[in-house]
Amino acid sequence: MHTRKRLLHALAALAVTVPVTAAITPAPASAVGPALLPVTVTNNTGRGDAVYLYVLGINLSTNRLGYVNRSGAFTPWPAGQIPPSPAPDVAIGGPGNGGSTTVQFPRGFSGRVYFSLGEKLKFFLTPDGLVQPAPWAAGDPNQNILFDWSEFTYNDAGLWLNSSQVDMFAVPHAVSVTGANSVTRRTGALVDNGRNTVINSIRAQSGWAGSVYTRSDGTVLRVLAPGKAAGAGLLSANYLDSYIASAWNAYTGRTLTVVPFADQPNTKYYGRTSGTVMNFTNTAGQRVASFNRPSSASVWGCAGDLPAPNDLVVGPISRTLCAALNRGTLGTIDIQPSLNAADFYRSNPTNQYARIIHANMADGKAYAFPFDDVGNFESLVHDGDPRSAAIILTPFGAGGASLISN
């Protein structure tokens, strides 16, 4: 499992955010990337919309929130207000269909690259920071804009760059990084006609059609992740409860073994359920963590009853539990994490959103829920000594993985 911190509060004041990939105090690499890393955004969507790019996040040396321009210069946000005041227009003109635009990531920066099609995004500022788009919320001014984002951290230990479907599935895109050794790593590409297949397949699942959001002109803008859909009243708030109860109760009579670190096979924790609480002990028999039976919302968000602090015990156990519940393996596979993807999403009910998205990725990898990186099933590229990176907006219809290039 990759060990990363979640910059939940740093990147948004009022809007709910997803985790941003980042290393927890990594040891400096023997070689580091350039002070400014070129990142090429290519538009292979097949659409004629104007594209706007935004590079937003946090300066890791100062903890200041701000934005980066095309050339990689960081500027802190000005002070905001209550009610939130409009943020400055920091859009970077993006590529037309078939074209590319290069932006620079400064080393020591972590955040998101937003890309919107056809219309600029609307950002706002409070005294605490930036309010990011939240189109699952009623009245959000970006609700009818087609947009998405990739997440990244670039520091002395290298670049982490991932596509994300944690909140929604909207604009198909792949990511890549090329290291000093000229090796390029890529992920995030859909199979041929994958976007349409994902949308139609989720819409066809009983109870899930409401999570597909279509603009008045007929454009499907996004599919909301189950937590966002349920929060908006578009999916049953109790959808996963029956499975959670069954999986939780399975350990009243047998033991769950959690081995959270792939490189530490002797670090094990043992879980047994008493009532609605699952208690964990270490190999010495000492109790080290306890979790209440989680709600569907806690499982979708890997939060609430499944808190995941950045420690070495409770957080790793919680992440493992949440991944197993999202993948439907808890209760049937007693050593977690389970690493055989053929065993995932067999429970009933199950996370149909994650199942369908993973099934339509060319390499099977996606960030369909917050801890989809448990077992390395996430759509992430990393290089400790990068020289360039890319975000490729891929076809909305036929095409897909075959059209990806740097």
Side-chain angles (χ1 to χ4, degrees), residues 260-325:
F261 306 112
D263 59 347
Q264 299 176 38
N266 293 324
T267 299
K268 299 179 181 180
Y269 302 102
Y270 305 101
R272 293 294 292 263
T273 300
S274 176
T276 59
V277 177
M278 190 180 294
N279 299 301
F280 283 86
T281 56
N282 59 18
T283 53
Q286 301 165 320
R287 184 180 296 184
V288 294
S290 296
F291 299 91
N292 292 318
R293 186 174 70 201
S295 63
S296 291
S298 293
V299 173
W300 299 139
C302 294
D305 294 319
L306 292 172
N310 284 318
D311 65 357
L312 294 177
V313 179
V314 177
I317 296 172
S318 181
R319 290 191 287 269
T320 304
L321 286 174
C322 196
L325 286 164

Side-chain angles (χ1 to χ4, degrees), residues 97-190:
N97 185 47
S100 297
T101 297
T102 298
V103 298
Q104 306 288 333
F105 285 180
R107 198 169 61 240
F109 192 69
S110 179
R112 290 175 170 177
V113 179
Y114 280 93
F115 29 90
S116 64
L117 281 66
E119 187 177 343
K120 291 183 178 181
L121 291 170
K122 301 170 179 65
F123 295 92
F124 297 87
L125 294 167
T126 72
D128 295 324
L130 181 70
V131 181
Q132 301 191 68
W136 44 86
D140 186 90
N142 298 288
Q143 193 168 66
N144 287 311
I145 300 175
L146 179 61
F147 75 97
D148 216 321
W149 63 85
S150 286
E151 300 174 341
F152 70 93
T153 290
Y154 181 41
N155 59 23
D156 287 350
L159 175 73
W160 288 259
L161 175 65
N162 64 270
S163 61
S164 176
Q165 301 82 33
V166 170
D167 286 337
M168 65 185 193
F169 172 86
V171 178
H173 59 285
V175 294
S176 76
V177 62
T178 301
N181 57 3
S182 299
V183 172
T184 298
R185 298 174 177 86
R186 297 185 180 91
T187 191
L190 288 163

Side-chain angles (χ1 to χ4, degrees), residues 36 55 66-76 92 104-106 109:
L36 294 172
V55 185
Y67 59 93
V68 168
N69 66 12
R70 186 191 303 265
S71 62
F74 172 79
T75 302
I92 300 168
Q104 306 288 333
F105 285 180
F109 192 69

Side-chain angles (χ1 to χ4, degrees), residues 281-374:
T281 56
N282 59 18
T283 53
Q286 301 165 320
R287 184 180 296 184
V288 294
S290 296
F291 299 91
N292 292 318
R293 186 174 70 201
S295 63
S296 291
S298 293
V299 173
W300 299 139
C302 294
D305 294 319
L306 292 172
N310 284 318
D311 65 357
L312 294 177
V313 179
V314 177
I317 296 172
S318 181
R319 290 191 287 269
T320 304
L321 286 174
C322 196
L325 286 164
N326 271 284
R327 294 168 179 162
T329 59
L330 195 72
T332 55
I333 298 176
D334 298 337
I335 299 177
Q336 293 288 347
S338 170
L339 302 179
N340 182 3
D343 293 327
F344 296 175
Y345 309 114
R346 291 185 170 186
S347 60
N348 184 23
T350 198
N351 187 338
Q352 298 290 356
Y353 176 87
R355 178 185 71 82
I356 291 167
I357 288 175
H358 276 279
N360 285 282
M361 289 293 178
D363 61 3
K365 293 181 178 293
Y367 245 128
F369 56 87
F371 290 121
D372 220 351
D373 58 337
V374 170

